[in-house]
Amino acid sequence: MPSETLDRFLNENLQELKDQGLYNEIDPVEGANGPVITINGQKLINLSSNNYLGLATDERLKEVASKAVDSHGVGAGAVRTINGTLDLHVKLEEKIAEFKGTESAIAYQSGFNCNMAAISAVMDKNDAILSDALNHASIIDGCRLSKAKIIPYGHNDMEDLRQKAKEATESGQYNKVMVITDGVFSMDGDIAKLPEIVEVAREFDLITYVDDAHGSGVLGKGAGTVKHFGLQDQIDFQMGTLSKAIGVVGGYVAGKQELVDWLKVRSRPFLFSTSLSPADVTASTKAIDLLMESTELYDKMWENGNYLKEGLKGLGFDIGDSETPITPCIIGDEKTSQQFSKRLNEEGVYAKAIVFPTVPRGTGRVRNMPTAAHTKEMLDDAIKIYEKVGKEMGVI
């Protein structure tokens, strides 16, 4: 018989989330996740995808993925350290290293896995991690898994970082100290102050770790936040995903050869989980090839991002301080944010409400991400719908 304690816990807490406007409804997409999607038979302009460059539906990626299934099968068949390392994995990792300007790279099954794997493979209970207050949940969980002392510093607050780096290193309590930050913060669209972070790291001999999940493909002509600032030789860990701008699935760490060698023998998701499928690996390699060959998709994404920003800001929406195409419309109240998103959906725009715990309480928003695949006509239609719903609800 099922546990009454569990039933009571689940029912009470689920209802509480619903009452607070914090319960997230999941909407299955019928078909591909492109610039226009179908949900419950309704076609919607899609502004919620992380498919920044439109590569998730790119015919060139689909073609090579299909060929990889024919030549290598649908799965790798084992973990990487037994016989699950295919020649395709080696090619992908060589391509990532070239793309990121590092000596080597290692691929993982997801970006979340990446942070769980890499941080805990290097940091332990005798160490400390200086972590930006708005870092992604996977960074936070990776830090927790390491058992290192987590010392948050104010979001992009370099004075606070320097003070806490000084205190941590001069305390004599820790063998190693790492500073870890997102490259691009996905809910606000602002960029980490990497040059200043590197200065602090150099002064106090900190290990540097940049999670560039939302910067790769978006900054540095596609190569990411570290390349944007020209700091490829100054950052120890360049972590990224293959699931956002790259359009497929997976994660990676790029850095020195010795770092990758260590991660291959000490990072548990690499050691104990079956490796990326042949189709995923080959499609990711092709996507990176395309980014290295041309900035066409990159330029189009930025053009669309600036266009949507200007349109929404001109209507009076609070879009925060985004420095990238990520465009939040900050509403504040969680229930209002959920209702605003629902009305947008009803009118023909799919833009998901983002509320606590993804963002702090009282900063509920609708997050918009125009991609390289959107047309100006789609964005014009979306802006008109935003105007209608915003005025109807008194948001603008």
Side-chain angles (χ1 to χ4, degrees):
M1 183 175 179
S3 166
E4 292 182 8
T5 301
L6 177 60
D7 283 346
R8 184 166 57 252
F9 167 82
L10 294 174
N11 290 329
E12 289 176 359
N13 285 279
L14 283 169
Q15 189 58 50
E16 183 179 353
L17 291 178
K18 292 173 182 177
D19 292 343
Q20 295 175 356
L22 302 178
Y23 184 78
N24 183 36
E25 298 283 354
I26 297 176
D27 307 305
V29 176
E30 298 155 9
N33 198 330
V36 175
I37 55 177
T38 302
I39 294 176
N40 294 324
Q42 180 187 8
K43 290 194 178 299
L44 302 164
I45 299 166
N46 180 18
L47 291 177
S48 277
S49 174
N50 286 329
N51 181 26
Y52 296 146
L53 301 177
L55 288 171
T57 55
D58 190 284
E59 292 298 327
R60 294 165 291 187
L61 271 64
K62 289 162 67 174
E63 181 181 358
V64 297
S66 177
K67 289 180 179 178
V69 170
D70 290 339
S71 63
H72 287 71
V74 296
V79 300
R80 289 285 302 269
T81 51
I82 298 179
N83 66 350
T85 294
L86 308 177
D87 56 344
L88 302 177
H89 293 105
V90 176
K91 291 177 183 176
L92 171 63
E93 289 166 339
E94 289 173 348
K95 184 61 65 175
I96 291 169
E98 181 184 0
F99 184 49
K100 293 304 221 176
T102 61
E103 291 179 1
S104 190
I106 178 173
Y108 291 93
Q109 298 85 350
S110 73
F112 207 113
N113 256 4
C114 226
N115 281 333
M116 301 292 281
I119 299 169
S120 62
V122 172
M123 308 301 286
D124 61 34
K125 65 181 180 180
N126 299 308
D127 302 324
I129 300 173
L130 302 164
S131 178
D132 188 287
L134 293 187
N135 274 341
H136 189 266
S138 62
I139 296 175
I140 295 168
D141 285 359
C143 293
R144 288 171 175 167
L145 184 64
S146 75
K147 296 185 173 62
K149 172 69 174 178
I150 302 170
I151 306 172
Y153 64 89
H155 175 52
N156 260 342
D157 185 338
M158 295 299 100
E159 284 301 315
D160 193 33
L161 171 61
R162 189 184 185 283
Q163 181 60 35
K164 287 175 176 172
K166 186 175 188 296
E167 291 170 359
T169 54
E170 292 182 356
S171 72
Q173 297 180 52
Y174 310 111
N175 292 339
K176 304 186 292 295
V177 180
M178 171 185 282
V179 56
I180 186 164
T181 182
D182 276 298
V184 170
F185 294 88
S186 61
M187 292 300 114
D188 293 282
D190 56 336
I191 302 171
K193 298 176 180 177
L194 290 192
E196 292 94 329
I197 290 173
V198 165
E199 285 182 15
V200 174
R202 189 182 299 120
E203 181 178 357
F204 296 103
D205 190 27
L206 309 179
I207 299 167
T208 50
Y209 189 117
V210 176
D211 179 333
D212 215 25
H214 293 271
S216 296
V218 175
L219 291 173
K221 297 298 181 183
T225 311
V226 176
K227 179 67 176 295
H228 173 74
F229 289 110
L231 295 171
Q232 299 94 305
D233 61 343
Q234 301 291 312
I235 301 297
D236 296 306
F237 289 73
Q238 288 192 57
M239 174 269 170
T241 68
L242 301 169
S243 56
K244 295 179 175 64
I246 300 303
V248 193
V249 70
Y252 59 85
V253 171
K256 284 186 169 293
Q257 184 64 55
E258 293 85 354
L259 172 62
V260 172
D261 290 345
W262 178 256
L263 293 176
K264 285 181 177 179
V265 296
R266 280 295 180 268
S267 57
R268 292 170 71 84
F270 185 87
L271 293 168
F272 298 110
S273 189
T274 298
S275 50
L276 287 164
S277 75
D280 293 329
V281 171
T282 307
S284 297
T285 305
K286 181 63 176 180
I288 297 172
D289 278 332
L290 294 174
L291 293 186
M292 294 178 71
E293 290 167 4
S294 169
T295 63
E296 179 183 358
L297 295 175
Y298 173 89
D299 294 338
K300 182 64 175 176
M301 174 196 61
W302 272 95
E303 180 185 338
N304 284 344
N306 290 333
Y307 188 80
L308 182 66
K309 274 186 176 180
E310 291 171 8
L312 295 179
K313 189 173 183 179
L315 291 173
F317 285 100
D318 178 4
I319 64 169
D321 300 312
S322 175
E323 302 170 83
T324 62
I326 295 169
T327 307
C329 278
I330 302 170
I331 309 296
D333 178 72
E334 283 78 14
K335 285 188 176 181
T336 305
S337 299
Q338 297 277 20
Q339 183 61 29
F340 186 77
S341 171
K342 183 179 178 181
R343 285 290 297 120
L344 289 175
N345 292 358
E346 290 169 353
E347 293 293 333
V349 168
Y350 193 80
K352 196 76 172 175
I354 307 294
V355 296
F356 180 83
T358 306
V359 295
R361 287 185 186 274
T363 66
R365 67 199 61 191
V366 172
R367 178 185 183 271
N368 301 279
M369 185 57 220
T371 71
H374 285 98
T375 64
K376 284 292 192 304
E377 291 74 21
M378 292 175 190
L379 297 179
D380 283 335
D381 289 343
I383 291 167
K384 289 175 185 175
I385 291 170
Y386 260 93
E387 180 177 20
K388 176 182 179 180
V389 176
K391 289 180 176 177
E392 169 194 304
M393 294 188 61
V395 174
I396 56 173

